[in-house]
Amino acid sequence: MTRSTQHWLMKSEPDAFSIDDLKRKGQEAWDGVRNYQARNFMRDGMRVGDKIFFYHSNCEQPGIVGIAEVATDAYPDPSQFDPKSKYFDAASSRDNPRWMLVEVKFIKKLKRTISLRELQGDPALVEMPLVRKGNRLSVMPVASNEWRHILTLE
DNA sequence: GCCAACGTTGGC
DNA sequence: GCCAACGTTGGC
């Protein structure tokens, strides 16, 4: 089955892992997602080659800072099996892993941060889960018209 | 640091 | 299956 490329937005706290970290490393396993909806998007929705807005959350200027790409299919997040990891999940097993991740590849940094404030005030983006109050989802789809619109803001 | 919003857990 | 308690997210 084929389908057109989908687009996504993934949040990361820059203190933990920033766009500059991704640029330096080139590719990174997106571990630590412990929300079922976010997991389902990675496991069931993402395909290699899908484009991603890299978003900085919980920081001085929250917003979109770069573009990345899905680099692998989803596979079990190893941190769930590691008792020393803060993402350890005793209820998960290797036979029946609960949490999945994809690896994400750096494409580019935007010339500037497209701030959350700016996105919130944009009439073209009112449907985005990102700008809805109280939304805490860290992995979410972006409609292709929204994707194109946001690119024009850079 | 505060706190609203939301998801998860667990007693019943 | 309800729902109170609790923990987390993330903007401000």
Side-chain angles (χ1 to χ4, degrees), chain A residues 96-108:
Chain A
N96 188 20
R98 179 180 288 187
W99 304 112
M100 308 287 280
L101 58 72
V102 297
E103 293 185 20
V104 162
K105 187 166 66 179
F106 178 80
I107 293 185
K108 69 167 190 170

Side-chain angles (χ1 to χ4, degrees), chain A residues 104-115:
Chain A
V104 162
K105 187 166 66 179
F106 178 80
I107 293 185
K108 69 167 190 170
K109 220 177 137 171
L110 297 187
K111 295 196 259 312
R112 67 179 190 91
T113 299
I114 301 174
S115 70

Side-chain angles (χ1 to χ4, degrees), chain A residues 6-80:
Chain A
Q6 290 199 25
H7 302 92
W8 307 93
L9 182 144
M10 297 176 92
K11 296 179 184 174
S12 184
E13 302 191 12
D15 287 350
F17 191 78
S18 72
I19 187 69
D20 291 321
D21 293 324
L22 184 62
K23 182 177 184 180
R24 182 167 40 80
K25 300 186 76 170
Q27 187 165 323
E28 180 78 356
W30 203 267
D31 66 357
V33 170
R34 294 295 181 269
N35 170 281
Y36 289 105
Q37 211 181 342
R39 178 206 65 184
N40 293 348
F41 284 135
M42 288 197 292
R43 186 189 62 188
D44 307 329
M46 287 189 178
R47 296 293 180 275
V48 172
D50 283 0
K51 299 296 187 292
I52 302 161
F53 281 137
F54 194 109
Y55 178 93
H56 279 172
S57 66
N58 204 7
C59 58
E60 197 169 326
Q61 195 191 24
I64 296 169
V65 293
I67 295 177
E69 177 179 308
V70 177
T72 68
D73 289 326
Y75 61 88
D77 179 345
S79 67
Q80 71 195 301

Side-chain angles (χ1 to χ4, degrees), chain A residues 92-137:
Chain A
S92 185
S93 70
R94 289 182 188 276
D95 289 343
N96 188 20
R98 179 180 288 187
W99 304 112
M100 308 287 280
L101 58 72
V102 297
E103 293 185 20
V104 162
K105 187 166 66 179
F106 178 80
I107 293 185
K108 69 167 190 170
K109 220 177 137 171
L110 297 187
K111 295 196 259 312
R112 67 179 190 91
T113 299
I114 301 174
S115 70
L116 175 63
R117 187 178 297 269
E118 187 175 350
L119 299 171
Q120 281 170 333
D122 194 320
L125 302 175
V126 289
E127 299 292 326
M128 281 192 88
L130 181 73
V131 304
R132 285 212 294 271
K133 185 175 179 178
N135 176 66
R136 301 181 311 169
L137 200 56

Side-chain angles (χ1 to χ4, degrees), chain A residues 134-146:
Chain A
N135 176 66
R136 301 181 311 169
L137 200 56
S138 64
V139 178
M140 69 185 77
V142 177
S144 53
N145 60 322
E146 294 164 348

